[in-house]
Amino acid sequence: MRTRLLPTALALTAAAACTTGPSLEKQGAVTAPPGDSKHLTIGSAGFTESDLLAQMYALLLGKAGYGTKILSVTNREIYEPALESGQIDVVAEYAATFADWLNAKAHGPNAKPVGSPDLGRTMTALRALATPRGLTVLDPGRAVDQNAFAVAAGYARQHRLKTLSDLGAAKLPVRLAAGDECVQRPYCEPGLKRTYGIDITAVDPKGVGTTQAKQAVQSGQDQMVLTTTTDATLGGFGLVLLADDKHLQNADYIVPVVNRSRAGSTGVTRALGGLNSVLTTADLAALNEQVDSWRRLPEDVARTYLKSKGLI
């Protein structure tokens, strides 16, 4: 399962150049009975967390009697049409992000976002957009990979900060290490000011969760960094997350998305549903750390974790 099947990935790239997926008028899979192919292709987006989830899906499906292979396709513009067409059968997605992506695909890049901090509303919107494309969105579990903000542990202790509300109430000037787009994105500088009253004096364009950005906060050059809730490296830089206690960030819970005509069966749903009550955000961060910092192979980390939870 380590094989990355590059010829197939190239074929998907060529196919994507010619199509954006099946037209909505030809979605026979929407009304047909859910499929139950015994040979499934699991998509990975090519970064550590996606690789880990793909490996876990493969192991769970394998235990349930399905043959699996993993295909790494790093661009959603390529793998989502492949998911619609059945070249990929299963992929781990992020609820709010995927909802907004499908919404923009259906209604144009300026469409009003449908993802929100409310998981129920986000899932309703996501399923309404996915179903006409022959996709089934399975239930989310407990793990969520959202945007998050971290500060130096010493800085947090000094000012008694545990939440973003604490930071706003402290009225401290904050230089924020983040991407260029932070000055405009509602979840970033504008949202921090509006929702929490945080005094963002400048955005230092060092990227989202990059080593350079974390080092800037570690050294005191910046006071806060934009990263994610499953960032496994924060401790190594002496950083801690501040809780998003007013729920500024969207509900990017991890959800399996399947091609209904090939993998919409109850067998697939039951197999992947085993993770729902087990995998937490903290677990996922720890698994990412094992791959990124300890240099373990994703398939080994995934297998050890599932065995520890009695799932395989």
Side-chain angles (χ1 to χ4, degrees), residues 108-148:
N110 296 321
K112 183 179 179 180
V114 294
S116 77
D118 185 284
L119 178 59
R121 289 208 315 268
T122 296
M123 288 297 296
T124 297
L126 173 55
R127 283 171 167 153
L129 289 159
T131 298
R133 297 186 176 277
L135 306 180
T136 297
V137 182
L138 305 185
D139 289 340
R142 300 163 62 191
V144 56
D145 188 351
Q146 296 169 303
N147 295 302

Side-chain angles (χ1 to χ4, degrees), residues 8-153:
T8 306
L10 291 173
L12 290 182
T13 303
C18 301
T19 179
T20 57
S23 67
L24 298 186
E25 294 81 3
K26 298 180 180 179
Q27 289 287 346
V30 175
T31 55
D36 193 26
S37 172
K38 296 303 180 183
H39 300 279
L40 300 174
T41 298
I42 301 164
S44 166
F47 56 93
T48 295
E49 187 167 289
S50 188
D51 286 344
L52 280 165
L53 290 165
Q55 294 290 345
M56 285 192 274
Y57 288 4
L59 289 164
L60 291 169
L61 289 167
K63 182 186 177 185
Y66 294 89
T68 64
K69 61 182 178 182
I70 295 175
L71 176 64
S72 183
V73 185
T74 58
N75 189 316
R76 187 180 276 117
E77 283 76 10
I78 296 175
Y79 75 68
E80 190 279 332
L83 184 62
E84 289 188 26
S85 68
Q87 292 172 288
I88 292 174
D89 302 305
V90 184
V91 72
E93 265 291 359
Y94 301 89
T97 295
F98 196 45
D100 285 337
W101 194 88
L102 288 179
N103 191 46
K105 181 175 180 178
H107 302 114
N110 296 321
K112 183 179 179 180
V114 294
S116 77
D118 185 284
L119 178 59
R121 289 208 315 268
T122 296
M123 288 297 296
T124 297
L126 173 55
R127 283 171 167 153
L129 289 159
T131 298
R133 297 186 176 277
L135 306 180
T136 297
V137 182
L138 305 185
D139 289 340
R142 300 163 62 191
V144 56
D145 188 351
Q146 296 169 303
N147 295 302
F149 296 90
V151 299

Side-chain angles (χ1 to χ4, degrees), residues 41 129 187 200 223 228 242:
T41 298
L129 289 159
Y187 66 80
I200 305 295
Q223 286 71 52
T228 67
L242 295 182

Side-chain angles (χ1 to χ4, degrees), residues 197-209:
I198 296 173
D199 180 16
I200 305 295
T201 59
V203 172
D204 187 4
K206 286 185 164 60
V208 179

Side-chain angles (χ1 to χ4, degrees), residues 171-190:
K171 303 301 181 185
L172 297 166
V174 174
R175 182 176 164 92
L176 174 63
D180 291 333
E181 69 280 4
C182 178
V183 296
Q184 296 178 327
R185 295 289 174 86
Y187 66 80
C188 204
E189 180 183 357

